[in-house]
Amino acid sequence: MPLTLRLALRDWDYMTPLVLGDVRSERLDIKVDRVGTLISNVAHDPSYEGAEMSFSRYSQLRHDGDDSVVGIPNFIMRGFRHRCIITTKESPIRRLSDLAGKKIGVTGWRDSGNTWTRAAIRREGVGIEDAMWYAGRLTEAHPITDRLDGFGRPGRIEAAPGERPMVDLLQDGGLDAIFTPFMPPGFFDQNSPLRQVLDDFRAAEVAYFHDVGYVPGMHLIGLKAELVREHPWIMDELSEVIDASQRMWLQKREKYADTTPWMIDELRRCAADLSPSWNVSGFEANEKMIGDFATELYEQRILPRALTPADLFPWHARAK
């Protein structure tokens, strides 16, 4: 009888074949709950055996010696971050280096995506000490929560003034730029007052890819350690099923490309700009990316000790 595995995942389109049952495992009965907000810690949640989780927060667990969650090096959320820096259309900021000395808003200081975005501008000479940072909610619709997460420093990293939405602060001149993976409502309208800092962010991202050799990973799947100890095969089985779901979804996108007028061109451009292995899962294929992320966590003072890829994924490093 297949082992039941209950997962909490965001609504990633490539999980559709898995959710619909088009992709199955003979060893696992996978039940997916679609969640908008990641659960805080799957080890303490009786509803799930596994869940999507932040790479940064998983790294914190490993740093602290918390072995209650075992991460799978299958990065179900990846993305370039150059496109995630926005400003106003009237702003003179056109290059990442122009962010030096500016007031920058972030939606969460330790978020994996923002860690990678700071890594991108650090490559252009703008470190944490070279800007003034504010953490807050993107728009009025987002909740007021502690987005500093203990990393605030007066005069350098502070909460958004008056808890005002950062989009409002940006348009009023209280911020010069915002880091956000999710664009505010109306951003893509022709009359939007906002734009991405880089006019050709795609060229910058392709250059970044050819330089570092990977697309940054933000989220992975964590499993309860007690389950992994009892059924160690479950990690590879789940990873293979997810990979199969992704492959099927890509095939369907190539076949049914009329969801947007230029989808087929986008697929062609991705094939031309990225190597076929850009989204490969597994420890060895992602070891450099994992190591670079661990370095950034240390250099950005999110973790006080530098970790190695083997520290983060000991099960998979031993099997290497």
Side-chain angles (χ1 to χ4, degrees), residues 202 264-276 278:
R202 188 187 188 105
I264 197 69
D265 184 58
E266 175 61 22
L267 294 170
R268 178 190 60 78
R269 293 181 68 186
C270 283
D273 291 340
L274 302 177
S275 66
W278 73 267

Side-chain angles (χ1 to χ4, degrees), residues 10-264:
R10 278 187 173 173
D11 236 350
W12 301 111
D13 57 0
Y14 55 79
M15 292 295 184
T16 301
L18 175 59
V19 172
L20 294 180
D22 295 332
V23 171
R24 292 186 175 91
S25 164
E26 293 183 358
R27 306 180 74 183
L28 291 174
D29 177 16
I30 301 172
K31 301 183 183 301
V32 176
D33 276 1
R34 299 151 56 200
V35 296
T37 302
L38 302 185
I39 64 176
S40 58
N41 189 329
V42 69
H44 304 144
D45 194 314
S47 300
Y48 304 104
E49 286 78 44
E52 178 178 349
M53 63 187 304
S54 155
F55 193 9
S56 173
R57 295 184 185 277
Y58 171 72
S59 299
Q60 183 73 61
L61 292 178
R62 297 298 310 167
H63 177 276
D64 296 344
D66 186 335
D67 297 326
S68 61
V69 176
V70 175
I72 303 176
N74 188 318
F75 294 90
I76 63 174
M77 178 184 180
R78 292 181 187 257
F80 295 112
R81 312 313 289 176
H82 300 70
R83 68 189 62 199
C84 297
I85 311 172
I86 66 174
T87 187
T88 62
K89 283 187 174 176
E90 294 77 19
S91 171
I93 300 172
R94 293 285 176 179
R95 300 173 300 177
L96 299 188
S97 58
D98 293 338
L99 292 168
K102 299 299 190 290
K103 295 172 289 186
I104 304 174
V106 296
T107 50
W109 183 257
R110 69 178 304 156
D111 292 355
S112 303
N114 288 331
T115 300
W116 281 117
T117 311
R118 288 191 296 268
I121 70 168
R122 199 157 73 87
R123 293 169 63 87
E124 303 299 322
V126 184
I128 291 174
E129 305 304 317
D130 299 316
M132 181 65 199
W133 303 87
Y134 296 92
R137 54 182 176 155
L138 185 63
T139 70
E140 187 77 34
H142 292 89
I144 297 176
T145 61
D146 175 18
R147 298 172 187 271
L148 290 170
D149 204 12
F151 292 95
R153 281 194 284 141
R156 182 61 62 195
I157 309 170
E158 300 180 354
E163 299 288 359
R164 290 188 63 204
M166 291 193 298
V167 166
D168 295 348
L169 288 167
L170 180 64
Q171 295 187 70
D172 291 348
L175 291 175
D176 298 300
I178 298 173
F179 289 2
T180 175
F182 306 115
M183 298 303 135
F187 180 85
F188 297 106
D189 295 348
Q190 292 184 8
N191 61 350
S192 171
L194 307 177
R195 63 171 173 83
Q196 274 130 335
V197 161
L198 295 180
D199 291 328
D200 192 354
F201 57 79
R202 188 187 188 105
E205 292 168 350
V206 171
Y208 177 89
F209 176 79
H210 289 300
D211 190 16
V212 302
Y214 54 75
V215 178
M218 266 72 73
H219 291 177
L220 49 83
I221 290 181
L223 297 174
K224 288 179 175 175
E226 58 193 41
L227 178 68
V228 173
R229 284 191 291 267
E230 186 176 356
H231 306 285
W233 55 267
I234 199 171
M235 294 184 291
D236 288 343
E237 184 74 10
L238 177 59
S239 188
E240 290 171 8
V241 171
I242 291 172
D243 289 346
S245 186
Q246 290 178 316
R247 287 193 299 270
M248 180 178 287
W249 189 250
L250 176 59
Q251 292 168 357
K252 288 182 180 292
R253 282 196 299 171
E254 292 172 345
K255 184 176 182 179
Y256 305 115
D258 292 329
T259 52
T260 61
W262 295 283
M263 174 63 76
I264 197 69

